[in-house]
Amino acid sequence: MKIAIIGSGYVGLTTGTCLAELGNTVTCIDNNKEKIQILNNGEMPIFEPGLAELVKKNVSQKRLFFSTDIKNAVKSAEIVFIAVGTPPKPNGDADLSFVENVAKEIAKSITNYIVVVEKSTVPVETGEKVARTIENSGVSRELFDVASNPEFLREGSAIHDFMHPDRIVVGANSEKAREKLEELYKPLNAPIVFTDIRTAEIIKHASNSFLATKISFINAISRICELSGANVEEVALGMGLDRRIGKEFLKAGIGYGGSCFPKDVSAFIQIAKKKGYDFRLLKEVEEINKAQTEFFLKKIEETVWNLNGKTIAVLGLSFKPNTDDLREAPSIKIISALEKEGAKIKAFDPAAMGHAKTFLPNAAFCKNIYECLFGADAALILTEWDEFKKIDLKKAKQQMNTPVFIDGRNMFDQKKMKENGFNYISIGR
Ligand code: UDX
């Protein structure tokens, strides 16, 4: 099929590339000329394992194109995906102005029947508003359908998640649109939940909010574990083996971050409020998440004591491993708070340091783990990169001023750290 994807961020670029890999002819559009130029030069604007290779392959096989020109791409497409950003407004509402602008742009170019699919996470009823916007721009109802097809891929494993989804959700109010999307996704051989547009929109919000709830739940349990001398890792294992609970997303840490959970949870609270429901459970999920970062800061202060003039080594900056993304990364909040107290920050991240310089102008960025640990009064682990698991503890200890590890991701065995002479502090154990 001929596909146009409007918005070439994480979701748009991965979706477009994977759909090309499935044999479709895809044009990824973005209004950011620089980004399109980067892609047309064979480079990548984001770091996502495996994506560069897949882009290269599909470009060379002439199935994947990049352009700033919505018109031409939409004119010849059978399906157009809207994958633009829906950033939060100061009150937590999602800002849908990009979605509206794109809907108007699409409307200008519709000549043959097309399915307009919302991929961005949007509040319930956005699909209907997109349809109204296109209709109000003078396009006849027979020439288009709107569908909701939320994306569940995770950064860091985006291609695998797209190619092997647990389920695909298609919300459409017409049989024609359903059939088109069924045909498109057939090669993935995954269960498809067909429903109406509003239900599909809610499925996306409910799924992300539920996962965030799971994380806040285990973070709350980690606090109780610390107070009662239990071990949260073992509690999570004991709970997670119950298939009704499941072992995923029960990892206690320094709170969830990223471009989705913080934004989507607060947007869902706003959506519920507008509809007349006070979603107190989700408000508490947000509170626990905020408190978890603050609690981690308290741990640092208790261990290091006076922060003024101390050197703190930070290992890991991205909001999760295998990405260079720093959006809503707990590291930013933690480092800024430590710097305010007068601590000197040395940082190392395998992928995110390029971006980090703009967020953290006062930190010193190091070439590797050991350079980062050199002269440190304490080391913090803020992202669970695989590379950190392989740290040579003896060498690490020699580099540090004081052998203190404060691990926000529970990466190391407590006994082993003690045996190696470290004062090792972790979460919930
Ligand atoms: C998430 C959803 O998983 C995905 O389905 C949706 O499409 C987009 O949002 P993403 O933000 O890429 O994906 O990352 P994810 O792996 O879900 O992690 C989000 C945050 O939760 C990270 O900060 C991570 O460190 C944290 N997390 C995750 C935990 O603290 N504990 C866990 O057990 C799992």
Side-chain angles (χ1 to χ4, degrees):
M1 278 191 217
K2 282 199 151 186
I3 314 279
I5 313 259
I6 322 278
S8 301
Y10 269 102
V11 170
L13 193 55
T14 310
T15 304
T17 308
C18 291
L19 287 175
E21 176 70 12
L22 294 180
N24 301 288
T25 304
V26 181
T27 307
C28 290
I29 309 289
D30 207 289
N31 61 4
N32 182 337
K33 283 189 193 130
E34 214 178 303
K35 191 186 270 183
I36 293 301
Q37 200 168 2
I38 290 173
L39 286 161
N40 277 328
N41 287 344
E43 290 155 39
M44 293 298 289
I46 53 166
F47 171 83
E48 179 63 38
L51 190 58
E53 294 79 0
L54 213 59
V55 167
K56 202 172 159 203
K57 177 182 165 198
N58 283 282
V59 166
S60 74
Q61 295 182 356
K62 302 214 168 351
R63 283 195 301 264
L64 183 59
F65 302 89
F66 303 106
S67 167
T68 51
D69 178 8
I70 292 194
K71 261 196 192 132
N72 265 327
V74 170
K75 233 186 242 164
S76 56
E78 292 156 75
I79 301 176
V80 54
F81 284 92
I82 301 178
V84 293
T86 51
K89 292 199 253 185
N91 69 352
D93 269 351
D95 180 351
L96 297 172
S97 47
F98 297 123
V99 176
E100 183 180 349
N101 290 342
V102 164
K104 284 182 184 157
E105 283 297 313
I106 292 172
K108 284 186 203 158
S109 317
I110 297 178
T111 44
N112 300 310
Y113 175 79
I114 193 166
V115 185
V116 179
V117 184
E118 41 167 47
K119 201 72 169 146
S120 313
T121 301
V122 290
V124 64
E125 290 169 23
T126 302
E128 284 153 42
K129 287 176 188 151
V130 166
R132 209 169 56 208
T133 304
I134 297 175
E135 212 174 352
N136 288 345
S137 305
V139 183
S140 141
R141 244 3 230 105
E142 291 87 64
L143 274 182
F144 76 98
D145 274 311
V146 169
S148 164
N149 170 221
E151 188 47 66
F152 299 101
L153 57 83
R154 292 162 300 174
E155 289 180 24
S157 53
I159 294 168
H160 178 272
D161 290 351
F162 186 94
M163 292 297 192
H164 307 277
D166 288 343
R167 79 320 199 173
I168 291 163
V169 174
V170 171
N173 298 342
S174 93
E175 200 49 44
K176 214 167 158 188
R178 272 182 189 209
E179 279 169 12
K180 272 262 175 235
L181 287 163
E182 188 175 19
E183 190 188 333
L184 181 71
Y185 285 120
K186 212 173 194 167
L188 292 182
N189 233 338
I192 304 185
V193 178
F194 287 111
T195 182
D196 58 88
I197 295 176
R198 288 183 186 196
T199 305
E201 290 165 339
I202 294 282
I203 289 174
K204 170 68 185 181
H205 274 293
S207 302
N208 271 4
S209 297
F210 188 79
L211 292 170
T213 304
K214 251 185 129 176
I215 300 169
S216 278
F217 184 84
I218 200 67
N219 280 335
I221 297 291
S222 81
R223 300 286 296 274
I224 301 167
C225 284
E226 283 192 23
L227 294 168
S228 52
N231 182 327
V232 74
E233 295 290 312
E234 287 165 24
V235 171
L237 177 70
M239 285 171 64
L241 286 172
D242 183 330
R243 271 177 299 168
R244 293 170 303 173
I245 298 173
K247 54 186 188 316
E248 307 274 341
F249 281 71
L250 281 184
K251 191 111 190 63
I254 47 178
Y256 58 76
S259 63
C260 289
F261 286 170
K263 166 175 83 80
D264 291 354
V265 170
S266 85
F268 205 22
I269 293 170
Q270 288 302 318
I271 293 163
K273 186 176 160 195
K274 277 196 190 138
K275 292 281 162 202
Y277 178 69
D278 182 10
F279 211 148
R280 295 212 309 259
L281 174 66
L282 279 190
K283 287 182 183 166
E284 194 51 34
V285 166
E286 273 190 332
E287 282 308 311
I288 293 171
N289 197 52
K290 216 166 101 206
Q292 196 68 6
T293 316
E294 285 157 11
F295 179 62
F296 187 69
L297 273 167
K298 228 189 230 158
K299 268 178 190 278
I300 302 169
E301 279 172 30
E302 266 166 28
T303 316
V304 180
W305 196 16
N306 295 303
L307 284 161
N308 195 11
K310 296 264 170 70
T311 301
I312 309 289
V314 174
L315 298 178
L317 296 169
S318 53
F319 82 97
K320 60 182 265 186
N322 298 323
T323 177
D324 62 353
D325 200 341
L326 285 160
R327 285 176 288 179
E328 299 288 329
S331 65
I332 308 280
K333 229 196 269 171
I334 291 166
I335 292 175
S336 307
L338 295 176
E339 283 179 339
K340 229 185 210 163
E341 293 294 320
K344 282 185 259 162
I345 303 295
K346 293 177 79 180
F348 172 72
D349 186 285
M353 290 199 295
H355 298 301
K357 284 175 189 147
T358 44
F359 287 94
L360 302 162
N362 302 317
F365 294 97
C366 303
K367 280 197 212 76
N368 58 48
I369 297 172
Y370 303 101
E371 186 187 309
C372 182
L373 293 175
F374 183 75
D377 295 295
L380 314 179
I381 305 241
L382 302 188
T383 318
E384 67 278 34
W385 283 94
D386 266 348
E387 182 172 342
F388 301 157
K389 274 196 204 125
K390 299 171 203 140
I391 289 180
D392 177 338
L393 292 173
K394 285 205 176 69
K395 192 170 164 191
K397 193 167 167 233
Q398 281 164 6
Q399 299 293 97
M400 295 180 75
N401 210 4
T402 336
V404 175
F405 253 66
I406 309 170
D407 181 358
R409 303 290 186 173
N410 288 354
M411 287 193 83
F412 297 100
D413 181 60
Q414 290 161 292
K415 213 168 125 224
K416 195 171 158 204
M417 292 302 278
K418 206 171 164 194
E419 280 165 9
N420 277 281
F422 281 92
N423 177 11
Y424 177 67
I425 288 115
S426 53
I427 306 281
R429 49 183 196 164

